[in-house]
Amino acid sequence: MLKNLLIIYPHWHPANLAGVQRPRLIGNFLKEYGWNPRVLTVDSSYFEEEPDNDFRKTFSKDFQVTRVKALPIFRPRLIGDVGIRAFYSLYNKAISIIQNESIDFIWLPIPSFYNALLGRLLFDKTGVQYGVDYIDPWVRDITNQNNFRAKLSQLVARRLEPIAIKKASLISGVSTAYYQSVLKRNFPNLFNTEGYLEDKGMNPHTNSKLVHVGMPYGFDPNDHKVKLPNLQTPWDKSKKEKIWLYAGAFLPNSHYFLELMFSAISRLRSEGNWDESIRLYFIGTGSYPAKRITSYAQDFGLSDIVIEYRQRFPFLHILNFLNQADRVLVIGSTEKHYTASKTYQVILSEKPVFAIFHEESSAVTVLEECESEQYLVKWQEDLSDEKFGKLLTQTLKNLQIESVEWNPNYKVLEKYSAKASAGKLVEAIESCL
């Protein structure tokens, strides 16, 4: 018989947030490993996000989903996080599900970060073991977001995170680097005398096993088989332009890379080494803090070739846009632990990929193993702006050549698939039980 994994995550389709992708991708393959994905989420009428009804096409039929109500958003808007607005409802319904169904384990992806607290409360009430999955770090570097809201958020995070994970049996994340500092702060016993992290240990607060596992978002190859006919692109296809496309959120710690990239393009233009038919599109970048992409473009005289659409686009739209672009861009973070889930999507677009990452990012490993690193620029912390700028300039110059050879080794990607990640999660959970 299948075991039952209760996945509690406040958002679900038709919201196409990046956080929904995590349980969706892994859940699509859980039954192949003997686990049934039982989902507890919030009714979509309480979501703020624009619904993406096509997104439903990417979910398997294996999910058994229960939706609960949430508090409405009052004006003025003090609390938007649906994880907070639905916290009480999610807790009560989870108790009911556990009491009336056979639940073997609870898995709680974050953010919403307050979702993690449910695991602790449910464990204390029912004894069902739980795991917290770090899609993003809860306690994090806010150097580029040094405002009152960010400071308050981190103050709360440092108080609540230890409470939420105190009795966890599993800590997982998109990579070990995302949660290693969490374990160091809260479970130092998992590190040996030389400071290296052990694969598993004991949770001193429960006297039971504590396991951790890093597994990427991965990808579902079926997503790329969904074609949307008559889809209008953000650019005018009738114009003879070459589209270089960046799709997805723009990160606070990506500003440095973008500034030097635009500086390199400006230098190439001034030297007459830039193809003036190229247009750089940044779409779905979101309402990120600090300076806008278009402002950087203006600083370097690139306003005529840089176009930004900050609003989110449906997931399947993004995949179709990537497939229709001439080049695709992925700009990472100055943080070494950052691993872009979009790396797999850009490789699978079958278009040449221009990428910038910290040299220790796991995304670098993925690109290199898949033989997709021809236009990868690796940033080193001791690299001067001048040397890094020269690397960017030469790579961007090479990327313009029309007859570039682009033959990634897609077979290697299989070990980074969502199916492989689901297998790692199941192995970790079963070692807890």
Side-chain angles (χ1 to χ4, degrees):
M1 292 180 63
L2 293 175
K3 296 184 178 70
N4 290 308
L5 177 64
L6 178 59
I7 302 172
I8 304 178
Y9 197 70
H11 281 97
W12 202 244
H13 65 70
N16 71 347
L17 299 177
V20 182
Q21 296 281 11
R22 180 69 163 173
R24 190 273 297 190
L25 284 165
I26 288 176
N28 275 355
F29 298 96
L30 283 176
K31 275 198 172 178
E32 296 188 33
Y33 296 98
W35 283 75
N36 178 57
R38 180 72 171 89
V39 175
L40 177 59
T41 186
V42 178
D43 189 272
S44 61
S45 62
Y46 296 95
F47 298 163
E48 293 184 275
E49 295 74 23
E50 189 73 23
D52 174 11
N53 293 317
D54 286 329
F55 190 37
R56 299 172 189 266
K57 299 175 182 178
T58 67
F59 288 73
S60 75
K61 297 179 181 179
D62 297 336
F63 294 103
Q64 181 185 352
V65 181
T66 298
R67 297 180 184 262
V68 299
K69 295 181 178 180
L71 292 174
I73 296 177
F74 298 103
R75 301 299 178 200
R77 182 181 181 276
L78 298 177
I79 301 176
D81 191 328
V82 72
I84 299 177
R85 291 189 286 121
F87 191 89
Y88 184 71
S89 298
L90 288 168
Y91 173 74
N92 281 337
K93 180 54 71 172
I95 292 292
S96 175
I97 290 173
I98 292 169
Q99 290 176 343
N100 293 286
E101 302 176 29
S102 176
I103 299 299
D104 297 282
F105 200 85
I106 303 169
W107 190 54
L108 306 108
I110 59 173
S112 169
F113 297 110
Y114 307 100
N115 196 44
L117 291 164
L118 288 169
R120 168 70 185 278
L121 293 172
L122 293 170
F123 176 81
D124 286 344
K125 181 72 174 180
T126 69
V128 177
Q129 296 181 71
Y130 71 99
V132 176
D133 182 64
Y134 282 78
I135 298 173
D136 282 320
W138 195 350
V139 176
R140 59 192 184 279
D141 178 13
I142 59 169
T143 303
N144 292 327
Q145 305 174 62
N146 199 19
N147 54 59
F148 175 76
R149 189 181 183 90
K151 288 181 177 180
L152 178 61
S153 172
Q154 284 305 288
L155 179 64
V156 172
R158 291 182 183 277
R159 297 293 186 273
L160 294 184
E161 184 179 64
I163 297 172
I165 67 170
K166 184 176 182 179
K167 296 185 179 180
S169 297
L170 169 70
I171 300 295
S172 59
V174 294
S175 74
T176 305
Y178 269 56
Y179 60 75
Q180 184 163 325
S181 61
V182 178
L183 297 178
K184 188 168 290 187
R185 288 191 300 270
N186 297 279
F187 301 103
N189 59 296
L190 263 65
F191 293 81
N192 62 28
T193 54
E194 296 179 347
Y196 293 106
L197 179 61
E198 302 286 358
D199 291 337
K200 61 183 68 175
M202 295 295 292
N203 185 330
H205 308 292
T206 61
N207 291 319
S208 59
K209 290 181 182 178
L210 176 60
V211 180
H212 69 90
V213 61
M215 67 280 186
Y217 270 75
F219 60 91
D220 186 339
N222 294 314
D223 294 346
H224 294 266
K225 298 176 183 178
V226 182
K227 302 301 179 184
L228 303 178
N230 305 316
L231 178 64
Q232 184 175 354
T233 60
W235 54 88
D236 186 346
K237 291 183 179 180
S238 66
K239 296 182 179 179
K240 294 183 178 180
E241 296 175 341
K242 297 172 183 175
I243 306 302
W244 290 21
L245 179 62
Y246 175 97
F250 185 60
L251 305 169
N253 290 333
S254 295
H255 287 257
Y256 171 69
F257 291 162
L258 182 82
E259 185 172 19
L260 288 185
M261 173 183 161
F262 280 180
S263 175
I265 293 174
S266 179
R267 187 180 305 114
L268 288 168
R269 288 187 92 179
S270 66
E271 296 170 352
N273 291 320
W274 181 258
D275 185 342
E276 292 297 336
S277 67
I278 295 172
R279 295 294 179 269
L280 293 95
Y281 276 79
F282 294 80
I283 67 174
T285 49
S287 56
Y288 53 86
K291 192 170 180 177
R292 289 191 58 170
I293 291 171
T294 49
S295 296
Y296 284 113
Q298 188 174 15
D299 291 345
F300 292 100
L302 306 179
S303 296
D304 58 323
I305 64 170
V306 173
I307 302 95
E308 180 185 20
Y309 294 109
R310 299 182 75 173
Q311 72 271 23
R312 292 187 59 82
F313 284 81
F315 172 66
L316 288 173
H317 288 204
I318 292 293
L319 294 189
N320 279 254
F321 294 156
L322 291 171
N323 292 335
Q324 295 181 53
D326 295 286
R327 305 284 188 270
V328 293
L329 316 175
V330 55
I331 302 173
S333 166
T334 52
E335 295 177 304
K336 65 178 69 175
H337 73 256
Y338 176 72
T339 175
S341 58
K342 68 185 72 170
T343 304
Y344 311 106
Q345 309 301 351
V346 297
I347 294 174
L348 290 167
S349 73
E350 301 182 352
K351 298 300 171 66
V353 177
F354 172 77
I356 311 174
F357 285 107
H358 188 292
E359 64 174 343
E360 295 185 34
S361 169
S362 60
V364 169
T365 303
V366 174
L367 288 163
E368 291 178 341
E369 289 185 354
C370 295
E371 301 171 21
S372 305
E373 79 281 12
Q374 293 96 313
Y375 308 105
L376 164 66
V377 183
K378 293 183 283 188
W379 180 68
Q380 303 169 12
E381 294 181 11
D382 60 351
L383 197 63
S384 68
D385 291 356
E386 181 181 1
K387 288 184 178 179
F388 188 56
K390 287 182 178 179
L391 288 173
L392 287 169
T393 301
Q394 187 58 52
T395 305
L396 288 163
K397 186 176 181 180
N398 295 341
L399 188 63
Q400 296 177 68
I401 301 172
E402 289 192 36
S403 58
V404 294
E405 186 174 342
W406 188 251
N407 297 302
N409 184 349
Y410 295 107
K411 185 72 175 175
V412 175
L413 268 184
E414 291 179 6
K415 68 178 180 180
Y416 297 111
S417 69
K419 181 178 178 179
S421 290
K424 289 181 179 180
L425 178 63
V426 166
E427 182 180 2
I429 290 174
E430 291 183 344
S431 70
C432 297
L433 300 177

